[in-house]
Amino acid sequence: MTKLSVNINKIATLRNSRGGDLPNVVQFAKDVQRFGAEGVTIHPRPDERHIRYQDAYDLKPEVYTEYNIEGNPIPKFIEMVLAIKPTQVTLVPDSISAITSNAGWDTIKHKDFLVEVIQEFKMNGIRTSIFVDPDVKQIEGAKETGADRIELYTEAFAHQYSLGNRDAIKPYAACAELSNTLGLGINAGHDLSLDNMKFFKENIPGLLEVSIGHALISESLYLGVENVIQMYLQRLK
């Protein structure tokens, strides 16, 4: 069964909008795990506009499932990850101005940089994943970096699926098949939702983990967090 990791950035955004500590991100992480989530994901950015670096430290003793920290490996990020030692670090090439992640790595152009960063994390016992577009050349490049896994950037699939284009899954399936052949684990995330999750899962062989944030929190406003987590788990069976 594919694991569900809940991205709690949106909870931090809501908290920060009022300047207090409500909702509390640590308590929310405890709750989603209690409701059945098999991991907690955070994505701190340099301006700390949602998850703060201190949140990453505060969450460490409370995440007893899988702890996944995403982000651009700038020096401050690398220092934090090495201090916390989460289950997994997912490398994402965010620009500072990006509202949300909007592209995967060019694993060929940035190979030397990625190799160096990944070696450091792996020496410290941290599983590594690279955020990539659904391009088989980028999957081959990811293998050359020494990464343990790739995370497929699924925004294009989600958009096309909403328009009725089921063929949008094809490049993702091809990348998954190649990843399995190369011995790369497969994660996925970005705009996956209750509407498209089952179809995506059924067509991606070897899918190990999905990281769901914006859609899950939005759906929970109507359906409730505990209920929505169980609905995702059903689709991932």
Side-chain angles (χ1 to χ4, degrees), residues 45-88:
R45 288 183 167 85
D47 62 6
E48 299 186 291
R49 62 181 179 266
H50 31 63
I51 285 289
R52 299 167 182 152
Y53 275 66
Q54 185 58 50
D55 293 328
Y57 290 94
D58 293 344
L59 285 161
K60 170 62 176 176
E62 306 299 341
V63 180
Y64 56 84
T65 54
E66 292 206 348
Y67 191 13
N68 175 43
I69 301 181
E70 301 179 341
N72 195 327
I74 61 174
K76 182 180 180 182
F77 179 87
I78 293 173
E79 179 182 350
M80 176 195 66
V81 171
L82 292 176
I84 294 172
K85 291 184 171 61
T87 316
Q88 176 176 269

Side-chain angles (χ1 to χ4, degrees), residues 28 194-195 213-229 231-232:
F28 194 82
L194 287 175
D195 289 338
H214 182 79
L216 187 150
I217 301 304
S218 299
E219 292 154 348
S220 296
L221 292 175
Y222 290 94
L223 303 172
V225 179
E226 183 173 9
N227 186 39
V228 166
I229 286 175
M231 293 170 76
Y232 272 99

Side-chain angles (χ1 to χ4, degrees), residues 106-235:
D106 184 332
T107 57
I108 300 167
K109 179 179 179 180
H110 298 290
K111 175 183 174 181
D112 291 344
F113 172 71
L114 290 169
V115 166
E116 182 180 353
V117 172
I118 287 167
Q119 285 179 342
E120 182 73 16
F121 288 141
K122 293 182 76 171
M123 285 171 54
N124 283 271
I126 304 166
R127 189 173 73 221
T128 58
S129 179
I130 301 179
F131 195 63
V132 292
D133 296 317
D135 179 337
V136 292
K137 293 296 184 183
Q138 297 304 325
I139 304 301
E140 292 169 350
K143 176 64 176 179
E144 294 298 313
T145 68
D148 300 299
R149 296 186 182 186
I150 49 97
E151 178 174 336
L152 292 170
Y153 173 36
T154 51
E155 181 180 15
F157 158 75
H159 175 67
Q160 289 297 317
Y161 184 88
S162 71
L163 300 176
N165 179 13
R166 302 300 188 261
D167 285 344
I169 196 67
K170 289 183 177 179
Y172 294 88
C175 286
E177 290 170 3
L178 176 59
S179 296
N180 288 325
T181 299
L182 295 176
L184 281 170
I186 304 166
N187 299 339
H190 205 95
D191 288 350
L192 294 176
S193 68
L194 287 175
D195 289 338
N196 59 39
M197 187 72 264
K198 187 173 187 293
F199 179 83
F200 186 82
K201 153 72 176 175
E202 289 174 344
N203 286 276
I204 302 299
L207 181 62
L208 297 175
E209 174 187 297
V210 291
S211 176
I212 314 292
H214 182 79
L216 187 150
I217 301 304
S218 299
E219 292 154 348
S220 296
L221 292 175
Y222 290 94
L223 303 172
V225 179
E226 183 173 9
N227 186 39
V228 166
I229 286 175
Q230 291 302 312
M231 293 170 76
Y232 272 99
L233 294 175
Q234 286 295 321
R235 284 159 173 76

Side-chain angles (χ1 to χ4, degrees), residues 83-105:
I84 294 172
K85 291 184 171 61
T87 316
Q88 176 176 269
V89 58
T90 300
L91 307 181
V92 184
D94 291 327
S95 65
I96 293 176
S97 61
I99 295 175
T100 185
S101 304
N102 54 18
W105 284 96

